[in-house]
Amino acid sequence: MDHSAHHDGAAHDHAATSAGHHDHHGHSGHSGHSGHGTSHGGHGGASWPMAAKATLHCLTGCAIGEILGMVIGTALLWGNVPTMVLAITLAFVFGYSFTLFAVRRAGLDWKSAIKVALAADTVSIAVMELVDNAIIALTPGAMDAHLDDGLFWSALLGGFAVAFLITTPVNKWMIGRGKGHAVVHAYH
């Protein structure tokens, strides 16, 4: 899609334009202006489906990393704290990797791709991990449950569901302002 027809000449300070790519104004899924009087060059709003898709993209990477971390920590008989640290670390690694590899496929060099992935996903992953791990920590018995225990999986999956519901509006707000996952759209 040629995004140059939608460029308004405004300077933008994000990795997409500094890498020499066209802006992503008018990218399908943007709903135009949100009615609050500021345009941000066409970033005035984002659709709920776009925000949900960005959140699901992030959640997929986070879930893979977090489950892998929980399985490794539990299999190695680690305590709760080291297991959660590993799970959260892997959630960030896998969450970033989905975006990183997508923008690398689009032709971005490693340094620029890392900048885009960090800008696109940091807040989303952080919110998701905070919510998900808080739910696990607050669910009685979940921290001591084993992999073959239904409580382990229900707390983990329930945490992901609540994290999705809380993170989607955050992503909608960020995308509507040209931040978060919006920086990736220049490379689709």
Side-chain angles (χ1 to χ4, degrees):
M1 170 185 280
D2 180 12
H3 299 290
S4 63
H6 301 290
H7 193 280
D8 66 356
H12 293 279
D13 185 24
H14 56 71
T17 53
S18 66
H21 293 275
H22 294 291
D23 254 325
H24 53 277
H25 305 303
H27 188 280
S28 66
H30 281 285
S31 62
H33 303 295
S34 63
H36 56 69
T38 60
S39 71
H40 290 277
H43 293 296
S47 68
W48 284 106
M50 174 189 281
K53 183 177 178 183
T55 305
L56 188 59
H57 177 267
C58 182
L59 178 65
T60 303
C62 288
I64 291 169
E66 191 161 332
I67 291 169
L68 184 60
M70 295 284 192
V71 168
I72 291 170
T74 302
L76 296 176
L77 303 175
W78 288 0
N80 290 336
V81 173
T83 298
M84 285 187 85
V85 168
L86 177 64
I88 292 168
T89 300
L90 290 178
F92 273 90
V93 168
F94 278 86
Y96 286 137
S97 69
F98 277 36
T99 298
L100 182 66
F101 292 119
V103 295
R104 283 283 296 146
R105 266 194 318 271
L108 226 54
D109 63 274
W110 276 103
K111 185 177 179 180
S112 297
I114 289 168
K115 287 180 181 179
V116 168
L118 290 173
D121 295 329
T122 298
V123 172
S124 182
I125 295 171
V127 170
M128 199 164 295
E129 286 303 299
L130 179 69
V131 171
D132 178 49
N133 284 285
I135 289 172
I136 292 169
L138 295 173
T139 301
M143 294 294 290
D144 297 318
H146 297 281
L147 294 176
D148 61 353
D149 191 337
L151 178 60
F152 171 85
W153 292 103
S154 63
L156 185 64
L157 297 176
F160 288 147
V162 173
F164 177 83
L165 294 174
I166 291 174
T167 308
T168 299
V170 172
N171 280 333
K172 183 179 186 311
W173 181 83
M174 289 179 62
I175 293 167
R177 280 144 190 81
K179 309 255 186 243
H181 206 76
V183 301
V184 176
H185 288 259
Y187 306 101
H188 289 299

